[in-house]
Amino acid sequence: YKSVYEAIDHAGMHHSAQIRIGRIQSEDVKREGPERLLSGFDGILIPGGFGIRGLEGMVEAIRFAREKRVPFFGICLGMQSAVIEFGRNVVGLEGANSTEFDKDTGHPVICLLEEQQGITDMGGTMRLGAQPTNLAVDSLAREAYAESEAYERHRHRYEFNSNYRQQFNAHGMQVTGTSPDDSLVEIVEVEDHPWFLAAQFHPEFKSQPTKAHPLFSAFVAAAISQRKRKAAEVASSDPANNMEPHHGS
């Protein structure tokens, strides 16, 4: 995850902010609970990966970020985990999962595309390389990029199952980035949240020290705002700050 850490640092430099990164194992989140491990953070990022190990901890971390309104950024598997969490806990799809982890799930919200079925070689089923993404108007993604289209690098096999797009949209998870033909979901966002965005591609690969990636920059900006809000809440709750000024005689 070196490229992810570097992209976060680039965004910190862009905002003249010192970033402190806490590396949390998702299995620890599952074992100890997200409240204990994540309560002190101003933003939560879940990066890409392969395999089922740690999935349930990721799901718990995402639920915490969504319900506690902590800025959240999901990348690749992080995006797929966000879809699984939202499907289970908001849309009400019991046991929603990816067919990568549960091939018999009753709600395959993440799955292989039809043209990938039957191909056993992992390289043959992957979407690889830079590909275009159309960005929805009035979305966090469009605001971050300040463009209507972005080209981002991909490295994954499984996709958001578009059969569920209407249900997710009705419950507040919007598809804000798609392939040009609208068949593939590239970015999802959650409504009524300070900053909740998850992308199927890998934006960290295009970040530079002197040119922070737009999504990382927007995520760090949201985390900075979160920290300021928390500080303001602490200050307003301090009785010493609410006392009437004393005037001597």
Side-chain angles (χ1 to χ4, degrees):
Y1 299 119
K2 176 68 171 176
S3 56
V4 174
Y5 299 142
E6 292 295 322
I8 294 172
D9 284 339
H10 300 164
M13 288 187 280
H14 177 77
H15 291 289
S16 300
Q18 181 182 10
I19 307 297
R20 293 187 177 92
I21 299 175
R23 297 166 177 83
I24 307 297
Q25 295 292 327
S26 57
E27 291 172 313
D28 292 340
V29 175
K30 179 61 179 177
R31 181 170 53 251
E32 301 181 39
E35 289 79 6
R36 182 171 185 274
L37 296 178
L38 302 176
S39 292
F41 289 94
D42 302 309
I44 297 171
L45 185 151
I46 295 184
F50 292 94
I52 193 172
R53 186 173 68 88
L55 173 69
E56 296 303 325
M58 297 178 200
V59 169
E60 287 298 310
I62 294 166
R63 182 172 187 171
F64 176 86
R66 179 178 55 78
E67 293 181 343
K68 300 298 184 181
R69 299 175 59 78
V70 179
F72 171 78
F73 190 11
I75 297 174
C76 202
L77 181 58
M79 178 267 203
Q80 296 176 1
S81 300
V83 170
I84 292 170
E85 189 280 325
F86 198 86
R88 291 177 182 177
N89 299 319
V90 180
V91 184
L93 305 174
E94 184 176 356
N97 214 325
S98 167
T99 55
E100 178 182 9
F101 311 130
D102 181 3
K103 64 180 181 180
D104 298 319
T105 176
H107 293 290
V109 294
I110 302 292
C111 65
L112 285 175
L113 301 179
E114 288 184 10
E115 58 265 29
Q116 295 172 328
Q117 302 294 337
I119 302 176
T120 57
D121 178 63
M122 182 177 288
T125 62
M126 277 191 173
R127 289 179 65 204
L128 298 170
Q131 299 183 34
T133 295
N134 288 347
L135 306 173
V137 177
D138 297 328
S139 64
L140 295 174
R142 181 76 166 263
E143 180 181 1
Y145 281 101
E147 299 283 351
S148 61
E149 186 180 63
Y151 278 79
E152 296 290 356
R153 290 172 60 181
H154 292 68
R155 183 177 174 79
H156 64 95
R157 302 176 66 206
Y158 290 79
E159 305 278 357
F160 183 104
N161 186 343
S162 287
N163 291 330
Y164 289 92
R165 279 173 69 168
Q166 186 173 352
Q167 285 179 270
F168 275 71
N169 178 74
H171 284 83
M173 177 174 274
Q174 305 296 322
V175 173
T176 61
T178 64
S179 58
D181 65 0
D182 200 45
S183 65
L184 301 177
V185 174
E186 301 281 19
I187 302 173
V188 296
E189 301 178 14
V190 170
E191 294 178 338
D192 192 30
H193 190 284
W195 205 91
F196 189 109
L197 183 148
Q200 183 60 80
F201 47 79
H202 288 271
E204 68 273 20
F205 293 153
K206 295 181 68 175
S207 186
Q208 302 174 34
T210 57
K211 189 177 181 181
H213 189 282
L215 294 183
F216 277 90
S217 179
F219 169 61
V220 168
I224 292 171
S225 295
Q226 174 82 352
R227 187 169 185 83
K228 290 179 178 178
R229 282 195 298 269
K230 287 162 61 176
E233 290 172 0
V234 170
S236 65
S237 65
D238 185 349
N241 293 328
N242 297 319
M243 293 177 62
E244 290 294 328
H246 175 73
H247 301 282
S249 57

